[in-house]
Amino acid sequence: MIRLVVFDMDGTLVQTEQLKAQSYAKAARELDDSIDEEEVTAAYGAVVGQSREAVATTLLEQFGLEEPSRAHLEAFDADEPWEAFVGVRLRYYHAMLDDPALLRAHAWPDAMALLRHAHDFFCRTALATTSKRDETDQVLAALGFTGAFDAIATADDVTSTKPDPEVYYLVTRTLDVPPAQALAIEDSPSGVRAAHTAGLACIAVPTDFTRDAIHALADDGVIPPAHVVDDHARLSEVVRATLAEAQAGAR
């Protein structure tokens, strides 16, 4: 049986992955005005859901931004070019987070509805996100979900972020629920792999950034094809069916 449903945040509850992509693109353009922001946004899709270091390092290398970033090391008290790049990017991203209306406009209504009625379907809920704690709190407040989860684990609470399973081990341990009795809701390949490695069942709601990669994971047997929900309006239906199947199997 399923006793816990664990939600991802960025890309699953709210389309902050779009905002993150835009912030990286704007930062890259600030560092090199010859860069096409749309190309950076597209490149972000290959690293969506990964750590700041992984994302920034990949984009630095792909767009030749290491030297321009070095010029900002002192301004951001950074030791490495990727940290300076992130510093430039966070100016844009935090301005977006400071706009609650923008965050609400980017919410996924079907995932939010599922969370609002979560306790009608299952016992407990948790959030497992690669975002920092302050960003997480800001997004949840804008969406009206402060206090909505029984447990929250962020990038500040773990040593390694997704695709490492640590964040899932943390929330299941905190709530004393075996991973085999938990279900993850994810949008990114990194998140799906983290949940799978931790031993959770997983339902994926792909975005335009992650659709091809999520279907590739289904083809590889990492996630059942029936658990890939391209139509977000079907999320609640698929979750209900998965919970019912798990309940029947426990009898």
Side-chain angles (χ1 to χ4, degrees):
M1 63 181 294
I2 300 296
R3 296 169 49 203
L4 168 68
V5 172
V6 186
F7 290 80
D8 171 57
M9 186 177 75
D10 300 301
T12 300
L13 282 176
V14 59
Q15 300 171 69
T16 36
E17 293 296 8
Q18 287 188 1
L19 303 181
K20 288 182 178 182
Q22 292 171 22
S23 69
Y24 276 108
K26 290 180 181 298
R29 181 63 183 270
E30 179 178 329
L31 294 172
D32 181 350
D33 62 11
S34 70
I35 285 178
D36 185 334
E37 290 187 24
E38 291 186 3
E39 291 183 5
V40 180
T41 299
Y44 178 81
V47 289
V48 64
Q50 296 184 24
S51 68
R52 282 180 180 174
E53 180 177 358
V55 174
T57 299
T58 298
L59 296 179
L60 276 182
E61 293 174 353
Q62 185 168 344
F63 292 95
L65 292 169
E66 183 168 344
E67 286 308 312
S69 295
R70 285 188 184 279
H72 293 267
L73 289 175
E74 184 176 353
F76 293 101
D77 193 24
D79 295 321
E80 300 291 339
W82 74 265
E83 294 172 313
F85 181 33
V86 167
V88 176
R89 169 249 164 183
L90 285 176
R91 290 202 308 250
Y92 293 101
Y93 187 57
H94 287 164
M96 296 172 184
L97 294 185
D98 286 339
D99 185 349
L102 178 66
L103 293 174
R104 288 192 290 271
H106 280 76
W108 283 115
D110 300 293
M112 290 179 61
L114 177 65
L115 177 57
R116 286 194 186 97
H117 299 288
H119 293 97
D120 296 339
F121 310 140
F122 36 81
C123 296
R124 311 187 84 178
T125 61
L127 185 74
T129 177
T130 302
S131 284
K132 297 287 190 177
R133 173 69 65 166
D134 58 343
E135 295 172 352
T136 300
D137 290 344
Q138 200 166 1
V139 171
L140 293 180
L143 300 180
F145 284 139
T146 299
F149 295 97
D150 297 298
I152 294 176
T154 73
D156 291 323
D157 303 310
V158 295
T159 303
S160 300
T161 56
K162 302 171 187 176
D164 189 280
E166 184 181 359
V167 70
Y168 279 108
Y169 288 138
L170 177 57
V171 293
T172 53
R173 185 171 63 248
T174 298
L175 295 177
D176 195 25
V177 175
Q181 295 181 7
L183 172 68
I185 312 292
E186 280 282 358
D187 74 293
S188 72
S190 295
V192 171
R193 288 192 180 280
H196 176 75
T197 302
L200 283 75
C202 186
I203 290 174
V205 279
T207 67
D208 290 342
F209 284 125
T210 64
R211 196 171 317 282
D212 290 345
I214 290 293
H215 280 278
L217 291 181
D219 291 341
D220 290 341
V222 176
I223 184 172
H227 284 191
V228 178
V229 186
D230 287 299
D231 180 359
H232 286 222
R234 295 188 58 245
L235 176 59
S236 181
E237 170 194 338
V238 175
V239 169
R240 285 173 180 265
T242 302
L243 295 176
E245 182 180 343
Q247 293 280 19
R251 291 173 187 158

